[in-house]
Amino acid sequence: MALDVLYFAWLRERIGHPRERIETQAATVRELVAQLSAMDEWHAAALADLSAVRVAVDQELADLDAPLAGVREVAFFPPMTGG
């Protein structure tokens, strides 16, 4: 399946682009992260500390075990703070 993967804030800066289209057989976000990390050193560095990364699946917050069946978009971004 093909997914649009989006990167925000420092993740975008480390990876070098804001989005990419990925062909994947990953069943979960965790498997997608493993695939992305294996692509190159930039992806690996950006996704090395998953405690500093949040994920949204089709624009809804999700965890790393979220299934990807039928998903069109996965976004990675740092935790947000409010005030």
Side-chain angles (χ1 to χ4, degrees):
M1 86 179 119
L3 289 176
D4 288 321
V5 181
L6 291 81
Y7 307 102
F8 293 92
W10 57 263
L11 290 151
R12 177 184 62 233
E13 292 170 9
R14 288 186 186 172
I15 290 170
H17 47 268
R19 70 182 312 138
E20 58 191 334
R21 187 110 172 125
I22 298 292
E23 281 293 329
T24 186
Q25 297 301 316
T28 65
V29 172
R30 188 179 308 275
E31 290 177 15
L32 177 63
V33 168
Q35 177 182 345
L36 293 170
S37 294
M39 288 174 53
D40 57 48
E41 65 188 67
W42 298 282
H43 285 82
L47 298 169
D49 181 7
L50 294 178
S51 69
V53 176
R54 299 295 177 261
V55 64
V57 173
D58 284 342
Q59 300 183 4
E60 293 198 21
L61 288 176
D63 64 27
L64 293 172
D65 296 314
L68 294 178
V71 169
R72 293 181 306 224
E73 177 185 280
V74 176
F76 294 99
F77 51 94
M80 297 171 276
T81 60

